[in-house]
Amino acid sequence: SKAPMKVAVTGAAGQIGYSLLFRIASGEMLGKDQPVELQLLEIPDEKAQKALKGVMMELEDCAFPLLAGMSAHSDPMTAFKDIDCALLVGARPRGPGMERKDLLAANAQIFTAQGKALNAVAKRTVKVLVVGNPANTNAYIAMKSAPDLPKKNFTAMLRLDHNRGLSQLAAKAGVAVADIETFCVWGNHSPTMYADYRFATVKGKSLKDMIGDEEWNRTAFLPTVGKRGAAIIEARGLSSAASAANAAIDHMRDWVLGTQGKWVTMGIPSDGSYGIPVDTMFGYPVTCEGGEYKIVQGLAIDEFSQTCINKTLAELNEEKDGVSHLL
Ligand code: NAX
């Protein structure tokens, strides 16, 4: 049987953690034949550590055959030791009256420290997924704080936006989600993201043609996907958790196990493709094979798409400027 893979999860006692850990331990992320060891990080706060212990008790009570071990941590230097994968979920939420720049600064502190710890103790091949918001900028900060690790090891989660888009499209066109190919989301995980179905197909037919209604893209589709997080909070009284955990599983599984040619969306450090400045953590259409992602190249960017891409890029640049003095 395979040697266990070590997976670190931060914010492990939070809402997303509660949906995420059980699925990792059951083999849904790394494969049904792949044992895992969970290295769980929470803030040192007594309540958080106690809640983490409770989650670990429940993990024990599932008797998952693939769960080869688990440990609780309050220091990233021990939590990230020798890990193969990191899911950085824990972040500082926006408190009442907190300004955007305070939020950026609080998170910059967390992701600088975690980037340094990854740099010091993680496996050199570690795959890092940042979920905690602002996800793209937090991933950028962690990458910049880990100069000895390859930049390509750092990614941000755009997959929830991708999956939200797929479901809206499937409903509109009256097709199965699984039949939609070559759809993607560009840019920042925020309402400025650009969900792009110009290239999407269903069984070889253009989804755009099937939908017909050109106005729907601007007036319904983009605003619905962009504001979906807020709509969930409005309905549930809590932010997306199970769907976020599901997207994290999808992202990491596809990165590790491959997409068999299928496009997915990942936030990755730009290599300059599509005119995005190098190192900007940007949502791109990618395919994955052999543990590596590759940007889908050569897509035509029309005027409307360029305007949307410019807008989400401007927001990312602004976030980057907001933290540059802290790096
Ligand atoms: P919760 O507040 O339920 O849980 C977060 C947990 O992280 C808490 O238990 C907290 O103690 C812990 N934490 C905070 N700072 C930490 C640190 N420095 N080290 C370790 N643990 C730390 O939030 P939850 O609903 O689980 O959401 C987590 C993050 O995901 C938030 O930042 C949220 O904004 C973000 N999201 C990102 C999404 C994406 O698509 N990229 C979608 C869902 C979600 O909104």
Side-chain angles (χ1 to χ4, degrees):
S1 70
K2 292 182 167 180
M5 284 174 78
K6 293 185 195 293
V7 178
V9 178
T10 74
Q15 316 187 71
I16 295 175
Y18 196 69
S19 287
L20 182 60
L21 296 173
F22 298 85
R23 296 186 60 189
I24 299 173
S26 74
E28 288 180 60
M29 186 170 86
L30 297 172
K32 293 285 185 185
D33 60 344
Q34 177 59 61
V36 292
E37 277 178 33
L38 293 173
Q39 303 186 180
L40 306 173
L41 181 68
E42 260 294 344
I43 51 174
D45 170 75
E46 204 176 306
K47 254 177 85 184
Q49 288 293 326
K50 193 171 166 210
L52 176 56
K53 293 282 161 18
V55 176
M56 291 168 76
M57 287 161 68
E58 286 205 74
L59 281 161
E60 276 176 19
D61 294 350
C62 293
F64 287 119
L66 290 171
L67 186 56
M70 58 181 154
S71 50
H73 301 263
S74 57
D75 179 353
M77 288 292 282
T78 61
F80 297 162
K81 182 95 183 108
D82 297 329
I83 52 169
D84 299 281
C85 299
L87 292 99
L88 307 184
V89 179
R92 182 74 187 275
R94 192 179 210 138
M98 199 172 177
E99 290 204 30
R100 190 184 159 78
K101 71 168 175 10
D102 303 327
L103 182 76
L104 277 167
N107 280 299
Q109 209 175 9
I110 293 172
F111 286 86
T112 306
Q114 294 189 357
K116 285 183 178 158
L118 288 164
N119 195 54
V121 301
K123 273 204 187 131
R124 301 300 85 179
T125 53
V126 65
K127 286 179 161 58
V128 181
L129 167 62
V130 177
V131 175
N133 280 320
N136 296 52
T137 295
N138 289 342
Y140 174 80
I141 292 166
M143 176 183 80
K144 287 288 177 191
S145 307
D148 303 326
L149 290 172
K151 286 178 178 163
K152 65 170 183 178
N153 295 17
F154 290 84
T155 67
M157 191 163 96
L158 268 290
R159 187 60 174 263
L160 183 53
D161 308 276
H162 180 99
N163 288 346
R164 284 168 172 165
L166 280 180
S167 275
Q168 295 298 322
L169 290 167
K172 174 73 176 174
V175 300
V177 172
D179 288 337
I180 301 177
E181 303 267 358
T182 57
F183 164 70
C184 69
V185 180
W186 304 88
N188 197 9
H189 166 65
S190 93
T192 67
M193 58 86 231
Y194 174 44
D196 183 0
Y197 63 93
R198 291 174 304 138
F199 310 106
T201 58
V202 175
K203 299 181 173 159
K205 280 196 296 190
S206 160
L207 184 64
K208 194 164 167 250
D209 291 349
M210 288 173 78
I211 289 172
D213 188 356
E214 287 271 333
E215 274 306 291
W216 180 77
N217 184 30
R218 282 167 225 232
T219 58
F221 178 64
L222 288 172
T224 300
V225 178
K227 293 181 202 148
R228 188 68 167 181
I232 301 286
I233 293 174
E234 167 65 25
R236 215 171 78 88
L238 289 167
S239 58
S240 322
S243 56
N246 179 69
I249 297 272
D250 282 352
H251 176 118
M252 204 51 108
R253 181 201 59 223
D254 285 350
W255 190 4
V256 173
L257 299 175
T259 64
Q260 284 78 44
K262 212 178 149 110
W263 293 15
V264 293
T265 301
M266 289 172 71
I268 58 174
S270 173
D271 62 355
S273 293
Y274 297 99
I276 306 305
V278 171
D279 288 356
T280 304
M281 202 57 72
F282 204 79
Y284 276 109
V286 301
T287 55
C288 302
E289 197 185 336
E292 304 286 341
Y293 54 77
K294 202 165 81 194
I295 298 174
V296 176
Q297 296 292 346
L299 301 172
I301 305 297
D302 62 19
E303 200 183 323
F304 176 71
S305 302
Q306 192 64 58
T307 306
C308 294
I309 286 173
N310 290 349
K311 185 171 159 206
T312 194
L313 175 61
E315 184 183 56
L316 276 171
N317 283 336
E318 215 175 278
E319 289 181 16
K320 202 197 301 182
D321 291 346
V323 297
S324 57
H325 65 289
L326 302 166
L327 295 182

